[in-house]
Amino acid sequence: MPLIHMGDMLNHAYRNRYAVGAFDLVSLDFLEAIITGAEACQAPVILSLAESHFEYFDFELIMPAVEAAARRSAVPVAIHLDHGASLESAQRGIRLGCNGIMVDNSMAPLAQNIERTHAVATMAHACDIPVEGELGYVAGVEGEDAQRHPGEVVYTSAEEARHYVESTGVDFLAVSIGTVHGRMKGEPNLDFERLAQINRALSLPLVIHGGTGLSPTQFQRLIAEGVSKINYYTALADAAGQQLADNLERGARGYTQSVKDVQGAIRDEVERCIKLWGGAGRAKELLRQCRPWQNVEHLIFYNLSCSEPEAAEIIAEGERVLGTIPGVRQIFAGKTLKDSDHYRYCWRVQFASAAVVDSYREHPAHMSYADTYFRPNARDRLTEDFAPALTVLKQSGGEEASGGEHPAASAS
Ligand SMILES: [Zn+2]
């Protein structure tokens, strides 16, 4: 259950004036440190995976671990693709288990940024997945990750932000008001007046990238002006690196001795941030108000009225085509082990969420496959969509799942 709808999470933070940490992870040490840190603080947390880090780990291999950690966690968790570069990366992120997507076209000219971000938001919203856009440009100056964000800072203006949000439909906005990615020399100069204007114009959760190196007072002012998600990585990487260096200096040899206590060093920094940003102790209240994030199983039992070679062709085509539809996570095409009096074949298609039931049915690739290949040969069939039984029973038993209400909507 503690994998929850990221929109509910950030809207709760926005309404209650705290910020959720979106900690980028690059290994299992980071994953465990972030989760245990959040649990120790009883705080919601976002497990964030930055596309620019994919050269350091295998995204496809790490995601089952990320998802397992989220599902067994005692605190509310969301899984976020950070700085996704394209529609394809967003779709892949959703397939692998992300339930929040950031699309970053902030380096492109505004019209292009709007067009590409709108395409991602339309696709993701059909899966009930919220999207973070970025307007203005958060550059990097030095240190960990900064070289990936070259160039000068471009500030976000309130007027442009309103136009951007209306045209793209993004749910959260990363703004550029003076922070930079990576380490900073001296204290950054943040434009709080600009942030306040943006917040008044948008009334939706704002996001800050480049949180490393800001002072407690700066964080508090950011949160007071609508920042509900803080992306944070460099200081975690520094804490891990320092622990490694200390271990080596003390004569550690080999891998396990060298990485000893690295997890603890990351976790200490995670806990420090969560407490500083006001998220500590919020888990229980949020869990009562949010929607759980759950996959849906689309099951079809059927018989085919064609020859076996034709059946093989129909199934192979289905595996190929249906797997490309946004929100489809996994496809299993089965045949009974023994002859059956009932149904000989099945499809089990896993959807990212209940919303995909509709968007999948109406998707052109599905319609054309169903009309051309499947339905003419599988007239005898049974189709149902399933969510986890206990969650459904609990929800229909009267437990109110609110929290989907948007602060912008409730304000008007
Ligand atoms: Zn960033």
Side-chain angles (χ1 to χ4, degrees), residues 193-232:
E193 184 44 41
R194 182 184 291 270
L195 181 65
Q197 285 167 5
I198 297 171
N199 187 31
R200 278 198 297 274
L202 300 184
S203 298
L204 55 74
L206 301 176
V207 181
I208 284 291
H209 286 240
T212 292
L214 301 185
S215 70
T217 323
Q218 284 179 317
F219 278 125
Q220 274 151 19
R221 288 189 69 185
L222 289 173
I223 293 164
E225 294 300 351
V227 169
S228 315
K229 170 174 177 279
I230 295 174
N231 276 45
Y232 204 78

Side-chain angles (χ1 to χ4, degrees), residues 371-390:
D371 292 345
T372 317
Y373 286 86
F374 190 65
R375 285 179 190 139
N377 293 293
R379 291 204 169 76
D380 179 18
R381 63 179 187 271
L382 178 69
T383 307
E384 291 293 352
D385 301 297
F386 293 90
L390 291 180

Side-chain angles (χ1 to χ4, degrees), residues 13-48:
Y14 184 73
R15 282 197 306 271
N16 292 284
R17 304 231 167 177
Y18 66 94
V20 180
F23 300 103
D24 280 321
L25 61 96
V26 291
S27 73
L28 289 183
D29 272 334
F30 278 72
L31 173 60
E32 287 180 58
I34 295 163
I35 287 280
T36 53
E39 284 177 336
C41 298
Q42 282 300 300
V45 75
I46 296 172
L47 300 171
S48 183

Side-chain angles (χ1 to χ4, degrees), residues 236-300:
L236 304 187
D238 283 350
Q242 188 58 53
Q243 185 64 45
L244 271 173
D246 292 350
N247 290 345
L248 291 169
E249 201 175 300
R250 282 197 288 265
R253 294 183 64 182
Y255 181 76
T256 45
Q257 278 187 19
S258 305
V259 298
K260 191 171 182 295
D261 299 329
V262 160
Q263 219 183 90
I266 301 168
R267 177 185 157 154
D268 288 347
E269 180 61 8
V270 166
E271 287 188 31
R272 188 187 73 83
C273 291
I274 287 175
K275 287 172 189 158
L276 189 57
W277 303 338
R282 299 282 188 172
K284 269 203 187 120
E285 179 195 335
L286 173 59
L287 276 174
R288 277 197 303 271
Q289 296 184 13
C290 66
R291 288 165 290 173
W293 184 260
Q294 54 201 11
N295 298 143
V296 162
E297 304 287 346
H298 177 66
L299 298 182
I300 306 171

Side-chain angles (χ1 to χ4, degrees), residues 24 82-83 102 104 132 134 138 145 149 181 208-210 231:
D24 280 321
D82 190 20
H83 290 286
M102 183 204 181
D104 181 2
E132 171 188 342
E134 179 168 333
V138 179
D145 210 35
H149 305 271
H181 285 104
I208 284 291
H209 286 240
N231 276 45

Side-chain angles (χ1 to χ4, degrees), residues 76-400:
V77 178
I79 304 174
H80 191 60
L81 176 70
D82 190 20
H83 290 286
S86 64
L87 186 62
E88 291 69 38
S89 15
Q91 202 178 317
R92 179 170 180 241
I94 293 170
R95 177 165 59 79
L96 293 177
C98 294
N99 68 341
I101 295 290
M102 183 204 181
V103 52
D104 181 2
N105 287 294
S106 59
M107 274 188 87
L110 182 63
Q112 221 172 67
N113 182 356
I114 287 177
E115 190 193 316
R116 292 180 190 165
T117 305
H118 178 256
V120 171
T122 306
M123 182 278 292
H125 287 166
C127 308
D128 201 20
I129 287 177
V131 170
E132 171 188 342
E134 179 168 333
L135 185 61
Y137 181 61
V138 179
V141 272
E142 57 167 330
E144 188 93 23
D145 210 35
Q147 68 277 12
R148 294 166 198 283
H149 305 271
E152 295 288 314
V153 176
V154 179
Y155 286 82
T156 309
S157 79
E159 206 174 310
E160 230 172 44
R162 196 203 310 255
H163 171 62
Y164 177 84
V165 169
E166 281 171 5
S167 323
T168 57
V170 294
D171 306 85
F172 328 119
L173 184 68
V175 294
S176 173
I177 55 148
T179 58
V180 294
H181 285 104
R183 296 178 202 96
M184 306 207 191
K185 283 188 185 128
E187 199 170 275
N189 199 0
L190 303 185
D191 191 340
F192 290 107
E193 184 44 41
R194 182 184 291 270
L195 181 65
Q197 285 167 5
I198 297 171
N199 187 31
R200 278 198 297 274
L202 300 184
S203 298
L204 55 74
L206 301 176
V207 181
I208 284 291
H209 286 240
T212 292
L214 301 185
S215 70
T217 323
Q218 284 179 317
F219 278 125
Q220 274 151 19
R221 288 189 69 185
L222 289 173
I223 293 164
E225 294 300 351
V227 169
S228 315
K229 170 174 177 279
I230 295 174
N231 276 45
Y232 204 78
Y233 170 67
T234 303
L236 304 187
D238 283 350
Q242 188 58 53
Q243 185 64 45
L244 271 173
D246 292 350
N247 290 345
L248 291 169
E249 201 175 300
R250 282 197 288 265
R253 294 183 64 182
Y255 181 76
T256 45
Q257 278 187 19
S258 305
V259 298
K260 191 171 182 295
D261 299 329
V262 160
Q263 219 183 90
I266 301 168
R267 177 185 157 154
D268 288 347
E269 180 61 8
V270 166
E271 287 188 31
R272 188 187 73 83
C273 291
I274 287 175
K275 287 172 189 158
L276 189 57
W277 303 338
R282 299 282 188 172
K284 269 203 187 120
E285 179 195 335
L286 173 59
L287 276 174
R288 277 197 303 271
Q289 296 184 13
C290 66
R291 288 165 290 173
W293 184 260
Q294 54 201 11
N295 298 143
V296 162
E297 304 287 346
H298 177 66
L299 298 182
I300 306 171
F301 298 93
Y302 63 101
N303 288 315
L304 285 170
S305 55
C306 55
S307 69
E308 294 225 328
E310 283 168 325
E313 196 187 318
I314 290 168
I315 290 164
E317 180 65 8
E319 284 189 324
R320 194 182 66 76
V321 169
L322 304 177
T324 64
I325 297 174
V328 170
R329 297 204 53 198
Q330 271 181 9
I331 296 186
F332 170 74
K335 184 173 185 304
T336 49
L337 283 169
K338 294 179 193 159
D339 281 351
S340 162
D341 293 337
H342 307 289
Y343 293 104
R344 302 280 303 276
Y345 296 96
C346 81
W347 288 109
R348 184 183 67 82
V349 187
Q350 188 181 62
F351 294 153
S353 71
V356 182
V357 171
D358 293 330
S359 58
Y360 173 87
R361 193 193 306 118
E362 288 152 20
H363 195 279
H366 170 257
M367 292 205 298
S368 122
Y369 173 72
D371 292 345
T372 317
Y373 286 86
F374 190 65
R375 285 179 190 139
N377 293 293
R379 291 204 169 76
D380 179 18
R381 63 179 187 271
L382 178 69
T383 307
E384 291 293 352
D385 301 297
F386 293 90
L390 291 180
T391 327
V392 177
L393 288 169
K394 206 170 137 197
Q395 276 179 334
S396 59
E399 193 143 336
E400 192 81 1

